[in-house]
Amino acid sequence: KQEVTQIPAALSVPEGENLVLNCSFTDSAIYNLQWFRQDPGKGLTSLLLIQSSQREQTSGRLNASLDKSSGRSTLYIAASQPGDSATYLCAVSSQGGKLIFGQGTELSVKP
Amino acid sequence: ETGVTQTPRHLVMGMTNKKSLKCEQHLGHNAMYWYKQSAKKPLELMFVYSLEERVENNSVPSRFSPECPNSSHLFLHLHTLQPEDSALYLCASSQVQGARGYTFGSGTRLTVV
């Protein structure tokens, strides 16, 4: 059974810092891994999608890496801003179209 | 807007009521999903529809009844719910197997009183 774990559960940083969010999964037989952002009480916004054959994806200040063999992904946020404050969710897609989520990292960026 | 639209955004219902949640996508996807998000818990997959056929039912109580009349629409019919069913219900869509990622709606915040 696939399990996804995100560390840390919560993170508070001053504005301008570079930061790394971690995601690990137990079954390396995945199709892809997706990072989402969720603002309080809102739906999920897709940030980055990494296919199982890829090592990383970049979008603006965000960079996500994938090491499928070790079951790990990281989301790197450069020059953090208060507007980046949200919960960040990692999810892996496995056979049957199931998308399994971690519990998320709640990020707070202080001005 | 993400391309997946959920209505209503908020719903308050009594335990004896019957209501329905609606999800609509025009992204050309052929798989649709219902997820439940309770406070401080990971998103829980409830139902998966692929090519309009239900392919997954994750031990969801029968008081939740999904319906997928076509590839663009998904409903979740609710009846005799319990207060612990209060949560954010999220709909998502994808190509079959999620090869190009998943798109989520904004969710319906359900409160059962």
Side-chain angles (χ1 to χ4, degrees):
Chain A
K1 178 186 172 185
Q2 178 74 270
E3 293 184 1
V4 181
T5 303
Q6 290 186 245
I7 295 173
L11 181 63
S12 182
V13 300
E15 181 177 5
E17 271 203 10
N18 302 324
L19 55 99
V20 175
L21 308 182
N22 296 290
C23 173
S24 61
F25 46 95
T26 55
D27 185 351
S28 61
I30 65 171
Y31 291 134
N32 54 51
L33 183 145
Q34 200 163 355
W35 283 93
F36 294 89
R37 168 186 172 137
Q38 185 176 30
D39 293 290
K42 305 291 186 180
L44 277 62
T45 300
S46 179
L47 298 174
L48 290 165
L49 170 69
I50 312 178
Q51 301 294 346
S52 61
S53 58
Q54 297 175 322
R55 295 299 298 256
E56 66 176 348
Q57 283 287 327
T58 298
S59 176
R61 293 183 294 108
L62 305 179
N63 175 277
S65 68
L66 174 64
D67 184 342
K68 200 173 76 164
S69 61
S70 67
R72 295 178 188 274
S73 176
T74 60
L75 178 66
Y76 175 82
I77 303 177
S80 59
Q81 302 171 358
D84 295 330
S85 298
T87 296
Y88 290 81
L89 296 161
C90 165
V92 296
S93 172
S94 302
Q95 186 177 9
K98 294 183 184 182
L99 190 64
I100 307 299
F101 283 85
Q103 289 188 293
T105 293
E106 188 173 348
L107 173 65
S108 175
V109 181
K110 305 295 186 185
Chain B
E1 288 295 331
T2 63
V4 177
T5 303
Q6 288 188 243
T7 55
R9 297 293 296 269
H10 301 273
L11 178 62
V12 179
M13 59 185 290
M15 289 190 283
T16 59
N17 291 159
K18 290 184 180 181
K19 296 287 184 183
S20 296
L21 310 184
K22 179 182 177 182
C23 178
E24 185 173 356
Q25 61 90 9
H26 296 287
L27 300 170
H29 291 167
N30 48 26
M32 296 186 78
Y33 314 80
W34 281 116
Y35 281 83
K36 175 183 179 182
Q37 188 177 36
S38 303
K40 305 300 182 186
K41 292 176 67 176
L43 275 81
E44 302 170 56
L45 178 63
M46 300 176 70
F47 300 104
V48 179
Y49 275 83
S50 178
L51 301 172
E52 301 164 37
E53 295 287 328
R54 191 193 310 180
V55 298
E56 184 87 18
N57 177 345
N58 265 5
S59 303
V60 179
S62 59
R63 57 186 183 269
F64 295 92
S65 175
E67 179 190 2
C68 187
N70 56 61
S71 60
S72 298
H73 294 85
L74 183 66
F75 295 89
L76 188 62
H77 303 301
L78 316 171
H79 65 97
T80 58
L81 294 192
Q82 304 298 311
E84 60 264 29
D85 296 323
S86 298
L88 181 66
Y89 288 84
L90 291 161
C91 173
S93 70
S94 74
Q95 295 293 344
V96 173
Q97 305 291 355
R100 297 179 194 161
Y102 298 73
T103 304
F104 279 78
S106 299
T108 294
R109 171 66 63 184
L110 174 67
T111 303
V112 181
V113 298

